[in-house]
Amino acid sequence: MREIFRLGLILMTYALIAGAALSLVGLKTMPVIAENLARAEEEARIFVLPAMNGGFESIEGGALSYWIGFRDEAKTVVGGYVFTALGMGYSSEIRTMIGVDENFAIVGTNVLFQQETPGLGTKIIEVSSGDSDPWYMRQFIGKSLPEQLKLSSDGGGIDGISGATISSRAVAESIERGLASLQETVGGNR
Amino acid sequence: MSVLKELTKGIYKENPVFRLALGLCPTLAVTSSVENGVGMGLAATAVLLCSNIIISLVRNLVPKKIRIPIYITIIATFVTIVELLMNAYFPALYKSLGIFVPLIVVNCIILGRAEAFASRNNMFMSIVDAIGMGVGFTLSLVVISTFREVLGNGTFYGMNVLPSSYEPAMFMVQAPGAFLTLGLILAFFNWLDLRKTGN
């Protein structure tokens, strides 16, 4: 009996030290991590919808959360919108940030998160040598609703990836859905 | 016990993957590209180094009956600290390695070295052991992922190395390719062994 208490106490001491070390590191790193995340999102917004001198304004609470980008610093001229599209891929959720101009044509895309099969589904973010952006995602630039945002096998204007149809379709469908929802939400607010 | 022997044993004689068959689960999972293999190898080496140092320092303060829970606590703590620090100060590295870092806790090479080496040797020898084993693990991952990435995707470390007329054997970067590659390499090492002993 005394042996159990002794061993329990020793184990507890190790756990206490480990816990203290972790909370110390956690306290130091949490604010930096949150800051990194916020900055990454801000950079992603600027990347998908550039030249917004008035910055972005977040609109939340409706069916879809999105940002309005303003062309001028007085925030009177709307230059476009940014939203995040969510799609269920083959092995993960695929989160894509999309920037559209004031006429809802796609200006820029950025895949924020995906854990698809390496070598197959990850081709949605594969960059060919000499390029700066993924060749699959580039197909969306300049496109708009209603018909162009489907895979060509589904009657649209996007070429799917052979061997990764589920991933490429998930991206196209999530963007199509998000854009439709955005047009509806913005139309309702106008 | 010579320092050089402890340092080099992980590369061939006691190679963790090919000879001891340890850490096969992360090995199979992350070797779809050379970049992932190198990343996982280096991250595991860093944790192995830290845990070997601490465990060799406290080896006389650990009762035998509860050594495993204590080792796991120490290893898991280091993995979490590495993850937090990477996330905060090296976000780009974290983004490419993020999913592998938590996997290091269950990498049995680390617990294996704690149990078999660090708990019985001083800090200096444990550091040497960690570096040797870490390098051996990283090299094994590079060997396997080279076969898989070149044959399965036509690239090495993301660079095209095969002519574009080559049609990549897609299954090599999927799970079956991992088993096939590892199995053939293990068979090769066993064959070397048998030949050496003259059987």
Side-chain angles (χ1 to χ4, degrees), chain A residues 21-22 24-34 36-37 113 115, chain B residues 39-40 42-44 46-48 50 74-106 110:
Chain A
L22 281 182
L24 210 71
V25 177
L27 277 178
K28 284 266 177 238
T29 50
M30 287 306 178
V32 188
I33 293 171
N36 285 347
L37 215 65
F113 178 87
Q115 279 181 357
Chain B
M40 179 65 176
L42 294 183
V47 173
L48 180 59
C50 295
I74 292 172
I75 294 167
T77 306
F78 271 116
V79 169
T80 315
I81 288 176
V82 166
E83 192 180 358
L84 285 171
L85 289 177
M86 248 165 86
N87 194 349
Y89 301 108
F90 306 98
L93 188 68
Y94 180 75
K95 213 178 160 191
S96 61
L97 283 187
I99 48 167
F100 306 130
V101 178
L103 281 177
I104 299 172
V105 181
V106 292
I110 300 187

Side-chain angles (χ1 to χ4, degrees), chain A residues 10-156:
Chain A
I10 293 174
L11 194 53
M12 193 183 80
T13 314
Y14 277 95
L16 268 177
I17 296 170
L22 281 182
S23 23
L24 210 71
V25 177
L27 277 178
K28 284 266 177 238
T29 50
M30 287 306 178
V32 188
I33 293 171
E35 208 175 285
N36 285 347
L37 215 65
R39 198 174 44 231
E41 278 213 0
E42 178 68 27
E43 275 168 16
R45 273 198 292 282
I46 295 170
F47 176 78
V48 298
L49 190 61
M52 292 296 127
N53 297 324
F56 294 90
E57 194 174 296
S58 163
I59 307 286
E60 280 171 48
L64 177 82
S65 300
Y66 61 99
W67 289 270
I68 301 180
F70 293 100
R71 251 188 235 292
D72 60 331
E73 281 176 29
K75 298 198 180 214
T76 51
V77 186
V78 172
Y81 307 90
V82 174
F83 66 95
T84 304
L86 288 178
M88 197 57 216
Y90 184 72
S91 57
S92 70
E93 192 183 68
I94 305 175
R95 237 180 6 239
T96 316
M97 191 177 264
I98 305 293
V100 297
D101 64 16
E102 64 272 34
N103 300 318
F104 301 104
I106 294 175
V107 179
T109 66
N110 189 1
V111 177
L112 298 177
F113 178 87
Q114 59 82 24
Q115 279 181 357
E116 296 295 287
T117 316
L120 293 171
T122 50
K123 288 200 173 171
I124 55 174
I125 54 162
E126 187 181 77
V127 180
S128 313
S129 52
D131 282 356
S132 57
D133 54 338
W135 52 268
Y136 176 69
M137 297 308 296
R138 199 187 309 143
Q139 298 186 82
F140 290 94
I141 309 287
K143 296 216 164 47
S144 58
L145 289 178
E147 278 309 315
Q148 292 184 329
L149 290 177
K150 282 182 166 39
L151 294 191
S152 48
S153 54
D154 298 334

